[in-house]
C-alpha cells in the first residue's frame, strides 16, 4: 500500500513541482516508508527514506517559513532521524538531530502557546534528549531535560484531565524514573 502511495505521490509531484501540497504528500510518503523500514529492522533503508523526506521537508519549510505546519513537518523529520541515529548507536548524531527538532519545536510552541499538539511535541523533544543524555551518562543533564518534559506534560494533562493520552504521557515519563 505504501509503495502504491509513493508511486502516485511521485507521479503527481513530478507533474506539478510547484504545488507545495503535492510535494508535501510525497514527503509524507517517504516518511511513512522510512517508518515502515525502521519497524522492519532495515535501518539502512529507513535512513534512505528519511533523508528523502528531510530533503523535501527542508525545501518546503524554507520556501514558506511562516507555515507552522511545514515547520512542524520538518521537526518530525529531524526527530525521526535522531531516533534512527540512536537506534544505530550514533548518539552524537542523534543528539544533533534531536536538538534541531527541539529548536523548531520551541519556536512553534512559543508562537502558539495554546496549541496542545505543539506543546506535546516539545515535551517529547525534552524527554528524548533526557533519554539520550542518560544513555551518554550525563545524569544531571538527563534530569534537567526530564524535568522540563514533566512540567510541560503535567501542565497539558491538567488543562485537559479527560484526555487519556495526555494522562498517559505523564505516567510514561514517571515510569522512566523522571518524577
Amino acid at each position: 500500500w505504501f509503495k502504491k502511495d509513493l508511486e502516485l505521490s511521485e507521479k503527481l509531484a513530478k507533474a506539478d513541482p510547484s504545488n507545495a501540497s503535492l510535494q508535501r504528500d510525497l514527503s509524507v510518503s517517504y516518511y511513512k516508508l522510512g517508518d515502515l523500514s525502521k519497524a522492519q529492522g532495515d535501518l539502512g533503508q529507513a535512513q534512505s527514506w528519511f533523508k528523502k523526506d528531510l530533503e523535501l521537508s527542508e525545501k518546503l519549510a524554507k520556501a514558506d517559513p511562516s507555515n507552522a505546519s511545514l515547520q512542524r513537518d520538518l521537526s518530525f523529520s529531524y526527530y525521526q532521524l535522531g531516533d534512527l541515529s540512536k537506534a544505530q548507536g550514533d548518539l552524537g548524531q542523534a543528539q544533533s538531530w534531536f536538538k534541531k527538532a527541539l529548536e523548531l519545536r520551541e519556536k512553534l510552541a512559543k508562537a502558539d502557546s495554546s496549541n496542545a499538539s505543539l506543546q506535546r511535541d516539545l515535551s517529547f523533544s525534552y524527554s528524548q534528549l533526557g533519554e539520550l543524555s542518560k544513555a551518554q551518562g550525563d545524569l544531571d543533564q538527563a534530569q534537567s531535560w526530564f524535568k522540563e518534559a514533566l512540567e510541560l506534560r503535567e501542565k497539558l494533562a491538567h488543562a485537559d484531565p479527560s484526555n487519556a493520552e495526555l494522562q498517559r504521557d505523564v505516567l510514561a515519563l514517571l515510569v522512566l524514573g523522571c518524577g
Side-chain angles (χ1 to χ4, degrees):
W1 183 82
F2 287 127
K3 292 281 187 180
K4 286 189 180 212
D5 177 57
L6 175 63
E7 289 173 16
L8 182 57
S9 294
E10 284 179 330
K11 181 180 177 181
L12 293 171
K14 186 177 179 181
D16 191 357
S18 65
N19 185 317
S21 181
L22 294 176
Q23 299 303 313
R24 183 185 181 276
D25 290 346
L26 179 56
S27 173
V28 169
S29 293
Y30 291 149
Y31 184 94
K32 288 178 183 178
L33 285 164
D35 206 31
L36 178 64
S37 296
K38 188 174 93 176
Q40 293 173 333
D42 190 348
L43 301 185
Q45 185 60 56
Q47 185 170 16
S48 177
W49 290 122
F50 287 138
K51 291 280 186 165
K52 286 183 175 195
D53 163 55
L54 176 65
E55 185 179 325
L56 266 179
S57 291
E58 285 181 329
K59 181 180 173 184
L60 292 167
K62 185 178 180 181
D64 192 355
S66 65
N67 185 318
S69 181
L70 294 176
Q71 301 303 315
R72 186 175 187 229
D73 286 350
L74 180 56
S75 83
F76 276 100
S77 297
Y78 290 149
Y79 188 91
Q80 193 63 270
L81 282 163
D83 198 45
L84 182 65
S85 295
K86 183 178 161 190
Q88 292 171 320
D90 189 347
L91 302 185
Q93 185 60 56
Q95 184 174 31
S96 176
W97 289 120
F98 286 138
K99 285 194 172 181
K100 284 184 170 213
L102 174 66
E103 184 180 321
L104 272 177
R105 289 175 173 189
E106 285 179 329
K107 286 179 187 176
L108 291 167
K110 184 178 180 181
D112 190 354
S113 61
S114 66
N115 185 317
S117 293
L118 296 177
Q119 303 301 316
R120 186 171 184 258
D121 292 349
L122 180 57
S123 82
F124 277 94
S125 282
Y126 290 150
S127 65
Q128 190 62 264
L129 282 163
E131 287 182 45
L132 192 62
S133 295
K134 187 176 177 182
Q136 293 171 318
D138 189 347
L139 301 182
D140 290 337
Q141 183 61 57
Q143 188 63 29
S144 177
W145 287 120
F146 285 138
K147 183 178 181 212
E148 287 194 59
L150 184 60
E151 287 173 1
L152 190 48
R153 288 185 187 182
E154 286 178 332
K155 180 180 172 185
L156 290 168
H158 181 71
D160 191 357
S162 65
N163 185 320
E165 186 175 47
L166 295 176
Q167 307 306 316
R168 279 191 308 270
D169 287 350
V170 171
L171 180 61
L173 206 49
L174 293 172
V175 168
L176 286 173
C178 314

